[in-house]
Amino acid sequence: MTREFFRSRRAKTLFVSFAAAAFAVTGGAALKSHARAEAYRNIVNNTYQHAFAELTTAVAEMDAALQKSAYATSQPLLAQLCTELFGRAMSAQMAIGELPYGNVELAQTASFVAKVGDYAAALSKSNAVGGGTTEEEKESLRALAEASSQLSQMLQDLQADIHSGTITLDDLEQAQARLAQAQETTGDAAGSSFQNVEADFPEVPTLIYDGPFSEHLSTQQQPRALEGLEEVTQEEAQAAAGAFMGLKPEIFNPLSGGDGAIPNWSFSAVVDGGEVYIEVSRQGGKVTELMNSRPVGEASLTAEEGVEAARAFLAEQGYGDMEPTYYINQNNILTVNFAARQGDVLCYPDLIKVAVALDNGSIVGFEADGYLMNHAQRTLETPAVSEETARAVLDPELECLSHQLVLIPTSGKYEVLCHEFKCQLEDGRHYIVYVNAQTGNEEKILLLIEDENGTLTI
């Protein structure tokens, strides 16, 4: 009896032990499987978010190319813009193909993007061989531009909802199921936020971009403005940093230097509750960049006063040949783009950005890479094409508001002298058209965006 009892008890103990072990193994496997599933889901969700961001960006760029194409009058520029437009449309198509609802809820959008790409390819080919563009084709471009603006804004709003959590990624994965269910029960395709893209387009997209040619091009392998200047030591660079900000040099702590297009010494300091980062070129000891993270309070200066404060600061630093072009106000920090002027010509490649805190007018940001890489006394040719002749190139629907001679960078890292025309459509939209001062061909068209925060372009 006792032996049987212990034998039974031992068997139960072994059973319980094996069962517990089996449960632990099974539970561990389940947890591991769940973790893998969750990791996979995160990867898929991130892929969808990336694809939607790519779609939003591609459609915005497609919209900008369409807006410019609609008012280009020279065949070479229109061919170039249509080639760019075709590329943006292809990018948008690829992004749609990566989305789980691509073939369900965005069918009309995909069809629209494909038509834009096909039409752009046809116009590009026609203009490349000298076929020109008919008025009907121009009207088609303008109609496509209007539709693309509406689509671009809708996608931007939708992306903002995704980022804010208003729309979850479950909506993306379950779009097809919800759509099918809605069709079975109600006979229509309502039921998903993403279907609003197909059903309704808002008015006009809000585009905020930096000033023209703000992404300075390193047109020379060596910084032209630093040619012939001596190398400075780290101590000399530290003194230059202090002089630039009107502070004692010893408060700046040396950091590791940079070896980019403009090799530099870099420093940091704590000033007025904010951390300051400053770079000084090893050749010539010129400040190339400044960032001050101090909190900026309520504005006590207007935008115009901020521009003048930036201009005065540049003059104090020896940059007296600069003219403000465009600016943006973000959180009471006014960032102003300045370009160098040589005689009657504004030289956009020679760019300096100055950020002014509108609470007290102090300088909290500075960037001079474009100026230091490109600035030199140039030999500028006399324009072969007069202002009157260049003005005749403009689309008749564009009313010319102002004109000046400018030097702009090209995609091939060269510079070209142009007539710059600021123009306006009947509905109040503004464009800037650049006409080559030697050939009379359109070189570039920019969209001008003006709001309470400043004047910007794309």
Side-chain angles (χ1 to χ4, degrees), residues 232-456:
V232 300
T233 65
Q234 189 175 52
E235 290 73 20
E236 290 171 331
Q238 187 177 28
F244 189 81
M245 296 193 66
L247 300 170
K248 295 181 179 180
E250 52 266 25
I251 74 169
F252 292 93
N253 300 310
L255 303 173
S256 58
D259 294 318
I262 303 179
N264 64 73
W265 299 106
S266 58
F267 306 90
S268 67
V270 176
V271 180
D272 295 333
E275 185 171 351
V276 172
Y277 173 81
I278 190 168
E279 293 180 355
V280 179
S281 66
R282 296 193 182 195
Q283 183 182 14
K286 300 292 185 181
V287 172
T288 60
E289 184 175 359
L290 163 69
M291 292 183 290
N292 187 342
S293 66
R294 81 162 178 85
V296 176
E298 291 294 322
S300 62
L301 302 178
T302 64
E304 291 74 19
E305 290 171 333
V307 171
E308 288 308 310
R311 188 204 296 269
F313 174 79
L314 285 181
E316 291 174 3
Q317 301 301 326
Y319 298 102
D321 56 348
M322 308 301 293
E323 182 172 320
T325 55
Y326 301 93
Y327 64 81
I328 182 172
N329 181 0
Q330 295 176 308
N331 301 318
N332 293 330
I333 296 177
L334 189 77
T335 301
V336 188
N337 289 340
F338 286 85
R341 179 171 288 282
Q342 181 176 325
D344 295 332
V345 179
L346 190 65
C347 303
Y348 280 117
D350 302 0
L351 174 73
I352 295 181
K353 295 182 183 181
V354 181
V356 181
L358 294 181
D359 57 354
N360 63 9
S362 64
I363 305 303
V364 294
F366 179 84
E367 182 183 316
D369 283 18
Y371 182 94
L372 297 177
M373 291 298 297
N374 300 307
H375 181 67
Q377 190 67 23
R378 298 170 172 88
T379 301
L380 299 173
E381 298 180 353
T382 302
V385 176
S386 67
E387 176 189 346
E388 182 180 2
T389 302
R391 191 188 297 265
V393 174
L394 301 177
D395 187 286
E397 292 197 22
L398 294 174
E399 176 191 357
C400 181
L401 302 178
S402 64
H403 163 269
Q404 66 176 337
L405 280 173
V406 299
L407 195 70
I408 68 172
T410 70
S411 56
K413 297 186 178 181
Y414 296 101
E415 298 175 347
V416 58
L417 184 66
C418 289
H419 293 279
E420 178 188 74
F421 296 99
K422 180 179 178 180
C423 304
Q424 178 175 283
L425 283 175
E426 187 176 350
D427 61 8
R429 283 182 294 167
H430 289 157
Y431 288 74
I432 302 178
V433 182
Y434 296 91
V435 179
N436 191 305
Q438 305 304 331
T439 67
N441 294 327
E442 286 175 311
E443 285 287 337
K444 191 179 289 287
I445 297 178
L446 298 178
L447 310 184
L448 195 62
I449 310 300
E450 298 164 299
D451 65 10
E452 67 277 5
N453 293 320
T455 304
L456 307 162

Side-chain angles (χ1 to χ4, degrees), residues 58-76:
V59 171
E61 292 174 341
M62 185 181 77
D63 172 38
L66 269 169
Q67 300 288 341
K68 298 172 188 178
S69 301
Y71 297 99
T73 59
S74 68
Q75 293 179 9

